[in-house]
Amino acid sequence: MNRPTGRRLTAAALTVAALATAATACSSGGSSSAKGDDSGTYTVWDPYPQFDRTSAWAKLLDGCGTKAGVKIKRTAFDTSDLTNKALLAAQQDNSPDVLVVDNPVVSTLAEAGVLTTTDDNKLDTSKVDPNLLAAGQVGGKTYGTPIGANTLALYYNKEVLKEAGVDVASVKDWPSLTAALEKVKKAGKKGITFSAIGTEEGSFQFLPWFWGSGAKLTELDSAQGVSALSLWSDWTEKGYAPNSVLNNTQTTSWQEFASGDYAFAENGTWQLANAQKAGFDYGVLPIPGAEGGTAAAPTGGEFVTVPVQGDTGRYTTAQRLVSCLTSTQNLYDTDTTLSYVAPTGEVQDKQVAANAELKPWVDAVKAAKGRTSDDLGTKYPKISEQLWKAVQTALSGSKSPKDALSSAQDAVR
């Protein structure tokens, strides 16, 4: 593969800020020097600074290094910082041997020429669920493999629904969900909370409803897309959802649900530990499509990739490291630590067998979709920005859902 030019890398870097992960945030750390001290040292960069050298993740890296006959030099960064560092390192021919990166950023790095393809590095992705692998595919080529996935679903408060006379089994589509919210409000409780903030988080949370309507990101103002935004708009107008959703992050939205007053909250797998501490019985329901079934929710989680190296002889060992990190047993252990659903059916089955509460999350991940899928690649950030602006405009009452999405579509033409 040709060494990418600085000019191309600079252009790709402009898209990075909008692609910061919507799922989690963590502090930065580590040095930006990629190369090991000698050929027997292989470098790994990851977005997990919360895990120190005594963690299970760090020990897994060392173990995979030992198995491959090399030492591992690991550096951890904040997600957005990691992407910038990866672009700069590629420009300086100083890329790490293995790069673990947020899945929507894969297309940015791939189009900048930073990453090798699975054809180049010989990674086997045959067991990975195709809908998850799609987040790392650009122009018919695959760049890396997912280490795990998280996504969105509906948490519900069993006591609130019981008091309102709602059987959660009846919630199968948008009309039945709206009917449940109406009953909850009449019972004096609060309906549903979510994040509609004017950032990537807002788009991330709106996408299950947008996709669940049958809409496509290449046609924001379709009748289906308008129906999805109308659903949210109607909920806020009728008081089924609070006006605070306009400023809610996924964290503040969760805090509202944790108060115990709300029937439903749209949130992710990363809240499972908090849900168990909430002090009330809860359940999880995959987000329903407009006419039933499970809506496609966007995937969070990281890909393990092999960056381009001046010394192509390093790819063989890098491939061994990635294969070790994503082996069946290691995926199970790692995804349990990260609260991720595994990217393969074999490991998903093991997760559900060990913890039946993960079943709705596995169902949600099986129906999930990468934000950059459909070969959107680096077009996604611009589309997403217009989408969250349309959500903000409609929910604030400044424009109708139809006009808001028409303006959004005009802006991305």
Side-chain angles (χ1 to χ4, degrees):
M1 296 179 65
N2 293 329
R3 167 60 46 195
T5 66
R7 186 174 181 180
R8 290 180 66 203
L9 286 169
T10 301
L14 295 175
T15 69
V16 168
L19 285 168
T21 182
T24 57
C26 48
S27 61
S28 64
S31 162
S32 61
S33 177
K35 295 301 182 189
D37 295 328
D38 56 60
S39 60
T41 298
Y42 276 66
T43 52
V44 178
W45 288 3
D46 67 53
Y48 311 132
Q50 68 271 35
F51 298 133
D52 63 21
R53 66 182 59 190
T54 66
S55 67
W57 168 249
K59 290 177 180 177
L60 172 60
L61 290 175
D62 288 339
C64 286
T66 298
K67 186 175 180 181
V70 297
K71 294 180 180 179
I72 297 298
K73 180 181 179 183
R74 177 212 175 204
T75 308
F77 298 92
D78 170 80
T79 297
S80 57
D81 193 30
L82 173 61
T83 308
N84 290 323
K85 289 290 197 302
L87 288 163
L88 180 61
Q91 208 168 19
Q92 299 171 341
D93 192 20
N94 194 36
S95 292
D97 293 290
V98 175
L99 176 65
V100 185
V101 66
D102 192 26
N103 78 73
V105 180
V106 172
S107 58
T108 297
L109 298 180
E111 291 189 19
V114 175
L115 305 177
T116 62
T117 70
T118 51
D119 289 336
D120 296 327
N121 56 46
K122 310 306 179 187
L123 279 177
D124 180 8
T125 60
S126 60
K127 293 182 179 180
V128 178
D129 288 352
N131 66 313
L132 301 181
L133 192 61
Q137 294 176 325
V138 181
K141 296 183 181 297
T142 303
Y143 297 84
T145 187
I147 200 167
N150 54 32
T151 193
L152 298 165
L154 295 179
Y155 287 87
Y156 60 88
N157 185 318
K158 294 182 178 180
E159 187 61 31
V160 170
L161 292 183
K162 182 179 179 181
E163 290 179 12
V166 174
D167 179 3
V168 75
S170 70
V171 179
K172 298 180 180 296
D173 51 24
W174 291 1
S176 56
L177 176 56
T178 300
L181 297 177
E182 183 179 9
K183 285 185 178 181
V184 168
K185 186 183 178 187
K186 286 181 177 178
K189 293 291 186 178
K190 297 177 181 179
I192 186 169
T193 180
F194 48 85
S195 169
I197 194 170
T199 68
E200 175 63 18
E201 281 190 81
S203 292
F204 189 76
Q205 289 242 317
F206 182 59
L207 279 173
W209 312 95
F210 185 80
W211 283 333
S213 72
K216 297 179 179 179
L217 287 172
T218 51
E219 191 179 352
L220 297 178
D221 57 351
S222 66
Q224 295 93 332
V226 171
S227 71
L229 189 48
S230 296
L231 179 74
W232 270 21
S233 180
D234 289 345
W235 284 352
T236 55
E237 286 180 11
K238 293 177 180 177
Y240 300 162
N243 290 328
S244 58
V245 298
L246 280 164
N247 298 309
N248 269 348
T249 64
Q250 292 177 113
T251 298
T252 56
S253 172
W254 178 260
Q255 291 167 349
E256 289 180 336
F257 179 67
S259 69
D261 294 330
Y262 283 85
F264 296 95
E266 180 184 359
N267 228 297
T269 46
W270 53 92
Q271 298 291 6
L272 277 171
N274 289 329
Q276 292 162 4
K277 300 173 185 176
F280 54 80
D281 286 338
Y282 73 93
V284 178
L285 180 73
I287 296 171
E291 299 177 357
T294 300
T299 55
E302 290 78 42
F303 264 59
V304 190
T305 67
V306 178
V308 172
Q309 300 291 337
D311 177 5
T312 58
R314 298 180 72 85
Y315 294 154
T316 299
T317 298
Q319 184 270 344
R320 289 175 186 161
L321 293 173
V322 176
S323 295
C324 177
L325 292 173
T326 56
S327 68
T328 296
Q329 185 57 51
N330 288 337
L331 275 178
Y332 177 79
D333 293 339
T334 300
D335 289 336
T336 299
T337 298
L338 297 173
S339 293
Y340 281 174
V341 171
T344 68
E346 181 181 4
V347 184
Q348 291 166 2
D349 290 344
K350 289 184 65 174
Q351 289 181 304
V352 173
N355 182 2
E357 291 183 0
L358 289 177
K359 179 63 167 60
W361 291 109
V362 169
D363 291 343
V365 165
K366 283 184 177 296
K369 187 173 181 177
R371 283 164 275 175
T372 58
S373 296
D374 297 329
D375 223 20
L376 287 179
T378 53
K379 298 175 186 175
Y380 173 75
K382 185 176 181 180
I383 294 171
S384 175
E385 181 179 2
Q386 294 307 318
L387 189 61
W388 81 57
K389 285 181 177 178
V391 170
Q392 286 266 305
T393 301
L395 267 58
S396 66
S398 300
K399 288 184 180 179
S400 69
K402 182 177 181 180
D403 288 345
L405 287 171
S406 292
S407 296
Q409 184 61 34
D410 288 342
V412 297
R413 288 190 195 281

